[in-house]
Amino acid sequence: MAGSVSKRKSSKIDMTSGSIMKNVLLFAVPIVIGNILQQMYTTVDTLVVSNFCGDSALAAVGTSSQPVEVLLCIFLGIGAGVSILVSQSVGAGRMDRVKDISATAIVLVYFSGIPIAIIGWILAPAILQFMHVPADVWDEALIYTRLVFLGALGNIGYNMNAGILRGLGDSAASLWFLIVSGITNIVFDLAFVAGFGFGVAGAAAATSIAMFLSWIVSIVYIRKKFQELEFTVFPRRFNSHDLKAILKIGLPIGLNNSLFSFGHMALQILVNEQGRQFMAGASVAGRITGLTNIAITAMSSAASTFAGQNYGASNYRRLREGYIKIPAVSGLLTLSFGLMAISFRMPILRFFSQDEMVLLYAGRYVVVILLSQWCYAVFNCISNIVNGLGYVRYTTLINLMMLWAVRIPSAYLINRYFDGTYIMVCFPISFLFGMLCMIGYYIFSPSWKEVMSRADRF
């Protein structure tokens, strides 16, 4: 028994003591590797589809990812709420509450994943019609969308469990889950698409199977390594107080993420209006910009856990010490990855397509996004620090304004008065807006000033 406790402790990172950046980076590294693996198996989807099915299928995969995100993001945001509450409870030494939160999270997985799968299957045609999906892409986009929706339960289950583990300070476990799912996805991709000729349906099935496997492996891991949580496979009980707390924090994040994804659907309409080649170029470019996004996601997750644990432990001095360091390092890492990717963009893009117009659009997209993505890294890291304290209203408002008041209007203005193949310029405009607003929160917010003032009293 003592041995299992030792192993469990060794896999957890205590954000309330030791070097701040060392802990943050140790926490972030497994997430970085995991994100690379996630990007790898979505990239394998793209490579296999583009090489065995053609540009029409590639465009179908690119446009079909947006509607799936709209419904999933609500519940992934709730998973973020679970992670924040777990980290605060760990910081306060309340493992009994972590147990109740985890049990409630299991209920949320089933009561969200199953309805999403059903609703997504039924509404897929209406969603694609709303997105102005071209006729030559329609059939493949429809089957891909429907099959990915069927995997919603596994996707939500895995991300909810990963949120619990991140809140506990264990970010390394998710890496092993993704290694398993990544290998599974690649094997089934090659078998279904290249071997059996199932086309985009095979790629969608491979992705869904991989996410279900990640969910199952995460359940086994939590049950073995954190036995005190009494984690179950199926829902058995929930705590109404914790359910309200999860929804209070997670629902605004989830609704914000969902509206964000819905906004991306609105942008995808503009992408679709530029034609098949631009659609394919944007889809390919997204694989590279997604790879450079890994530092943002990892550092933001670490920032949220850092803020939650130290806030729960009333360690305000440490919170004050880290609230600038972490976003600054995140921005520098993102800029470094971006410049590297820009340097090698064309050789990488040629793996996906040989069409010169597709490559032109993809290359342009990559340069515009990656030169400005560091602003988004700083914005997102500060947002997650604030969210880690449970202060989600301002961050939700800024996220919505960033998309609906800045990004979408600027994209439509570019499309109408300039050139629709430059609509990606709307991203750096919104990135800069969001970063300035979150820096402004540090400077002007009474709530943040109150938290910082506690550092001198405790």
Side-chain angles (χ1 to χ4, degrees), residues 113-314:
I114 295 175
I116 281 182
I118 297 171
I119 293 170
W121 181 277
I122 295 171
L123 294 183
I127 293 171
L128 295 180
Q129 186 175 18
F130 170 77
M131 293 178 66
H132 299 181
V133 172
D136 58 349
V137 177
W138 177 271
D139 290 341
E140 291 167 313
L142 179 60
I143 189 62
Y144 188 90
T145 303
R146 279 180 159 170
L147 288 178
V148 172
F149 268 125
L150 288 182
L153 180 62
N155 196 324
I156 293 172
Y158 162 74
N159 281 284
M160 195 77 77
N161 291 352
I164 292 171
L165 289 168
R166 285 195 297 270
L168 288 165
D170 186 352
S171 62
S174 299
L175 170 61
W176 297 108
F177 307 154
L178 289 172
I179 289 175
V180 173
S181 68
I183 293 172
T184 302
N185 187 77
I186 291 171
V187 170
F188 279 105
D189 252 335
L190 294 173
F192 291 165
V193 181
F196 300 134
F198 291 163
V200 294
T207 300
S208 295
I209 291 170
M211 290 310 301
F212 267 105
L213 187 59
S214 290
W215 178 37
I216 293 168
V217 173
S218 70
I219 292 172
V220 173
Y221 178 87
I222 294 174
R223 286 171 61 86
K224 181 179 179 181
K225 296 294 184 180
F226 298 94
Q227 296 179 17
E228 68 271 26
L229 297 184
E230 299 178 5
F231 204 79
T232 59
V233 178
F234 298 104
R236 292 186 179 178
R237 62 183 178 84
F238 74 94
N239 183 298
S240 59
H241 172 75
D242 287 325
L243 179 62
K244 291 178 182 178
I246 290 170
L247 295 178
K248 182 179 179 181
I249 295 176
L251 198 55
I253 296 174
L255 289 172
N256 169 67
N257 290 343
S258 185
L259 287 170
F260 218 79
S261 291
F262 186 77
H264 285 171
M265 282 178 58
L267 292 175
Q268 186 67 41
I269 292 173
L270 292 180
V271 171
N272 294 348
E273 289 179 352
Q274 311 310 317
R276 177 180 57 82
Q277 288 176 312
F278 188 81
M279 289 172 66
S283 177
V284 169
R287 302 310 176 193
I288 296 181
T289 58
L291 278 173
T292 60
N293 200 42
I294 58 177
I296 299 175
T297 304
M299 294 296 290
S300 296
S301 294
S304 179
T305 300
F306 167 82
Q309 287 190 8
N310 283 285
Y311 187 70
S314 300

Side-chain angles (χ1 to χ4, degrees), residues 355-391:
D355 186 309
E356 291 302 320
M357 286 305 298
V358 171
L359 293 173
L360 172 66
Y361 292 139
R364 180 190 300 168
Y365 197 105
V366 167
V367 172
V368 170
I369 298 297
L370 296 189
L371 285 178
S372 60
Q373 206 169 35
W374 67 271
C375 295
Y376 179 71
V378 173
F379 155 78
N380 205 46
C381 220
I382 298 176
S383 294
N384 275 272
I385 289 174
V386 175
N387 286 343
L389 274 59
Y391 301 160

Side-chain angles (χ1 to χ4, degrees), residues 35 85 121 177 194 196 254 261 298 305 343 350 361 397 425 433 442 451:
N35 287 340
L85 288 175
W121 181 277
F177 307 154
F196 300 134
S261 291
T305 300
S343 300
R350 289 190 186 279
Y361 292 139
L397 175 63
V425 175
F433 171 82
Y442 275 170
V451 172

